[in-house]
Amino acid sequence: MHDTYTEILLPFASSPELFERYTNAWGGLRTGMLMEHLDSLAGSISYKHMLGPGVETLGRIHERGFYIVTASVDRLDVLAPLLPVRDIRLSGIVVYTGTSSMEVAVKMEAIGASGVEDTLLLGRFSMVCRDARTHKARPVNPLILDSREETALYSMGENAKKRRQSLALRSLSRVPPSSTEAEELHTMYLQYGQDSGLSNYERVWMGETHLEKTMLMFPQERNVHQKVFGGYLMRLAYELGFANASLFTRSHVTFMSLDSISFAKPVPIGSILRLTSLILHTTPPGEFPGIVHVGVQANVVDVRTGHEQTTNDFRFTWYPDDDTAVVRQVVPKTYQEAMLWLEGKRALEMGDQIRGERNKKPSG
């Protein structure tokens, strides 16, 4: 396992030129660009696992006989502010292997003069290996565990895969909501879906939060498979979601987590990509801090027929910088929107659970 460990150092504190490339309009770091790096890092680590730590170049895919793609991103959770005054280290390691899949754990750390100062972000990428000729699943190398720490990491990766499979089986696209969720949805409708004359919140129908961006995909953003680089799509989706969250809350927002990404199909070079965003869930008025859960869907548009095919689905969570409550309440109007609202609620509950587990201090 330890042979797959890889790290990248971004010396923001000592390189004004580098910082200038990554700075945003508020003097902080462009989180979407860091996500782009993390996706690239996860891919490099996966190839390193398959080819061995001594291999420095990938070479041609058809000569290697296989290729690796990102299947999903389970989570990316921010644990501390992404301040640009320190150097940042991005690192990752393969923590679990299935038959043809790999779980890659990634970490973002702030580095000071005396070493690591803060762990800024933790996350997991699920990568899959495909045969270069048939494009079918190809077996990956098994992991060799040399220590208790590696065994613990392997168990963590295995549990993450099982949790992802369990969530897929409970997906609202497959099964109806639970009786508890149905009751919560009805309560929300009674409280916010009707004109009651209350003035402590502003109701916003989910469909009215629609925001979109249409782009042409150029070859400069291609990956080794001659498709659009997944990290680039992550950055585009993040920036659209950020804009939507800011418009909805009417304030600057801080990134809390990437809750999930699914990569259903590759995006071809030269295609027209339509990104659409909706506010899917908001915390009730009066709850501090207010939290906004945003969905972004990526569709490839066939210019001849107008038919759209979904390639990616992204889910993000933000909160207002000043930790105030969100007084605008998003409310679904259709059954499909109601299911999206419940999915957003599930994502926020999962985020609370994971952050709670990470913040637990060992007893004794």
Side-chain angles (χ1 to χ4, degrees):
M1 180 185 290
H2 61 269
D3 287 335
T4 67
Y5 176 82
T6 306
E7 65 179 44
I8 301 171
L9 183 66
L10 299 173
F12 293 122
S14 56
S15 175
E17 296 81 7
L18 182 66
F19 171 65
E20 178 64 24
R21 287 167 49 196
Y22 285 79
T23 186
N24 61 29
W26 299 272
L29 295 173
R30 292 181 61 183
T31 308
M33 292 183 68
L34 296 175
M35 285 185 183
E36 201 168 351
H37 276 310
L38 288 172
D39 183 68
S40 178
L41 178 65
S44 298
I45 290 169
S46 301
Y47 277 111
K48 187 176 182 179
H49 174 71
M50 291 295 293
L51 298 173
V55 175
E56 296 183 357
T57 59
L58 176 59
R60 297 182 177 180
I61 292 296
H62 72 273
E63 293 176 354
R64 294 294 186 187
F66 69 91
Y67 62 93
I68 295 169
V69 296
T70 306
S72 65
V73 183
D74 279 353
R75 294 196 65 82
L76 293 175
D77 287 287
V78 174
L79 307 180
L82 305 180
L83 301 176
V85 295
R86 297 173 292 182
D87 293 345
I88 286 182
R89 180 170 65 201
L90 309 179
S91 63
I93 187 171
V94 176
V95 296
Y96 176 80
T97 53
T99 304
S100 60
S101 65
M102 293 166 275
E103 299 283 326
V104 179
V106 296
K107 182 189 295 187
M108 185 186 302
E109 299 167 295
I111 308 297
S114 58
V116 177
E117 293 184 352
D118 280 313
T119 298
L120 305 177
L121 178 147
L122 293 173
R124 295 186 308 275
F125 285 74
S126 178
M127 317 296 290
V128 292
C129 186
R130 295 286 182 260
D131 187 280
R133 184 174 58 85
T134 66
H135 305 293
K136 295 182 178 180
R138 173 171 173 146
V140 300
N141 301 328
L143 276 177
I144 299 174
L145 310 179
D146 291 330
S147 66
R148 290 183 179 179
E149 289 79 7
E150 291 186 355
T151 301
L153 286 173
Y154 186 88
S155 178
M156 179 191 74
E158 186 176 30
N159 290 337
K161 183 176 182 179
K162 289 179 179 178
R163 181 166 58 239
R164 185 170 62 250
Q165 292 171 337
S166 175
L167 291 173
L169 292 175
R170 293 177 51 236
S171 170
L172 293 170
S173 63
R174 294 187 177 188
V175 298
S178 67
S179 58
T180 300
E181 288 177 325
E183 183 177 350
E184 290 171 338
L185 188 61
H186 187 65
T187 300
M188 182 275 300
Y189 166 75
L190 293 177
Q191 189 170 3
Y192 303 112
Q194 304 180 89
D195 294 321
S196 60
L198 297 177
S199 59
N200 65 331
Y201 71 93
E202 178 187 347
R203 180 182 64 195
V204 182
W205 297 115
M206 185 180 293
E208 295 175 359
T209 68
H210 177 97
L211 192 67
E212 73 173 50
K213 182 177 185 179
T214 304
M215 303 178 63
L216 182 62
M217 296 292 100
F218 292 102
Q220 287 76 14
E221 306 299 339
R222 67 185 181 274
N223 57 22
V224 294
H225 324 116
Q226 303 306 305
K227 304 293 183 181
V228 176
F229 173 46
Y232 175 64
L233 297 175
M234 288 174 65
R235 173 160 67 88
L236 294 178
Y238 173 89
E239 291 173 353
L240 180 63
F242 173 87
N244 205 355
S246 297
L247 289 170
F248 183 83
T249 60
R250 296 169 176 162
S251 67
H252 186 266
V253 291
T254 296
F255 179 57
M256 178 177 284
S257 62
L258 185 160
D259 301 275
S260 68
I261 300 179
S262 61
F263 291 82
K265 295 180 181 296
V267 176
I269 298 297
S271 62
I272 293 178
L273 185 75
R274 175 172 289 140
L275 293 168
T276 58
S277 173
L278 288 172
I279 305 297
L280 302 184
H281 197 93
T282 49
T283 49
E287 186 170 312
F288 297 91
I291 296 175
V292 178
H293 184 70
V294 185
V296 179
Q297 188 177 83
N299 286 5
V300 169
V301 184
D302 188 322
V303 295
R304 292 167 297 181
T305 65
H307 175 71
E308 297 191 19
Q309 192 171 39
T310 299
T311 58
N312 308 86
D313 190 62
F314 307 83
R315 301 295 171 88
F316 304 97
T317 301
W318 282 274
Y319 64 92
D321 280 2
D322 52 7
D323 289 343
T324 57
V326 177
V327 296
R328 307 183 79 201
Q329 187 71 13
V330 71
V331 179
K333 185 179 282 189
T334 66
Y335 187 83
Q336 182 182 21
E337 290 177 355
M339 295 304 99
L340 291 173
W341 186 89
L342 286 175
E343 286 180 0
K345 188 174 187 300
R346 287 182 178 184
L348 294 186
E349 290 171 348
M350 176 63 71
D352 287 342
Q353 177 185 338
I354 290 176
R355 282 184 289 271
E357 290 174 354
R358 286 173 176 163
N359 290 334
K360 282 181 181 177
K361 295 181 179 180
S363 58

